[in-house]
Amino acid sequence: MGLRGIFSETYQLLTAPIAKVLDNWFESEPLKASLATDGLIGSTLGPHDGGTGYVLLHHVMGCLEGRKGAWAYVEGGMGAVSETLAKALRELGGEIFTESEVEKVTITNGKANGVQLKSGQAIQSKLVLSNATVRETLLNFVPAQTLDSSLLTQVKNIDYKSPVVKINVALSRIPNFAKTGDGTVQPHHRTSVHLNCETMEVLDAGHRDFVAGRVSTFPMIEMVIPSSLDKTLAPAGGHVALLFIQYAPYAVTVNWSQQQRNDFAQKGT
């Protein structure tokens, strides 16, 4: 295949709807719909929207320990990453301030040189790094008069909306999906479990609900059980499951009462 052919196929993959990409490779509807979830998860797009082919590529193009498309869990949970970073910083002589809310980034002669806390304390530094979003950092912490107006306009227009509701569940035992297990961890517990994705139409119907401003009647659910691999995450016999559920419009969920949150959790679990 020449460069022209490679470019054509790459362009199609990056711009095509995930439904079209998968139709070119597979016949099984449940298989196509299950694979399509990785082209939709976290986005506000549906299976027939352009660009979702790239989203799937993004999720499978990497590798781990030589295995293409493999993902991994952090032993001890994501908090273990923070603890490792904190330990490394302390070993280098760094100091960590907790429960110390930042008021603003201080700037002198156009250069950031520290932060001022809401307590009034000022901390000087040669460099200021922020792990808040770009919009939160530049609009709420950096004085507006120090920024270019065109940059401020771009930052204000960043769209952070997500269609995902994340639910973490504590389990007293490993799920028995097929009602044939003996209570022990099976190979399928260590994979991604896909629910409400039996057909592409089910996914598309969920997306149509979202476009209409409603929570999906049958939301797409992707579940993983990290405790099936990492026993440090739960007491003996117990497990934790992480559920990514979409579609749910942020404009709707942000105003949910606690009862509505509980009702949705019951529906999702």
Side-chain angles (χ1 to χ4, degrees), residues 1-16 20 24:
M1 181 185 295
L3 288 177
R4 180 174 297 178
I6 294 174
F7 176 80
S8 176
E9 289 196 353
T10 302
Y11 177 81
Q12 290 183 45
L13 176 61
L14 295 178
T15 61
K20 180 179 179 180
N24 289 334

Side-chain angles (χ1 to χ4, degrees), residues 26-116:
F26 303 103
E27 296 179 354
S28 167
E29 189 67 16
L31 175 59
K32 288 189 292 185
S34 295
L35 292 173
T37 61
D38 273 343
L40 305 175
I41 194 73
S43 79
T44 57
L45 302 173
H48 299 291
D49 288 333
T52 47
Y54 163 74
V55 180
L56 176 61
L57 174 63
H58 170 80
H59 282 98
V60 302
M61 68 188 300
C63 68
L64 179 70
E65 296 182 349
R67 297 179 59 187
K68 290 183 178 180
W71 290 63
Y73 301 111
V74 177
E75 186 175 11
M78 290 305 297
V81 176
S82 299
E83 291 296 334
T84 300
L85 292 173
K87 181 175 181 292
L89 177 66
R90 292 190 180 102
E91 288 176 350
L92 292 172
E95 186 176 355
I96 297 175
F97 296 79
T98 59
E99 299 182 14
S100 302
E101 191 172 353
V102 172
E103 176 74 32
K104 65 179 180 179
V105 175
T106 57
I107 296 178
T108 303
N109 297 325
K111 183 177 180 179
N113 59 3
V115 296
Q116 180 176 314

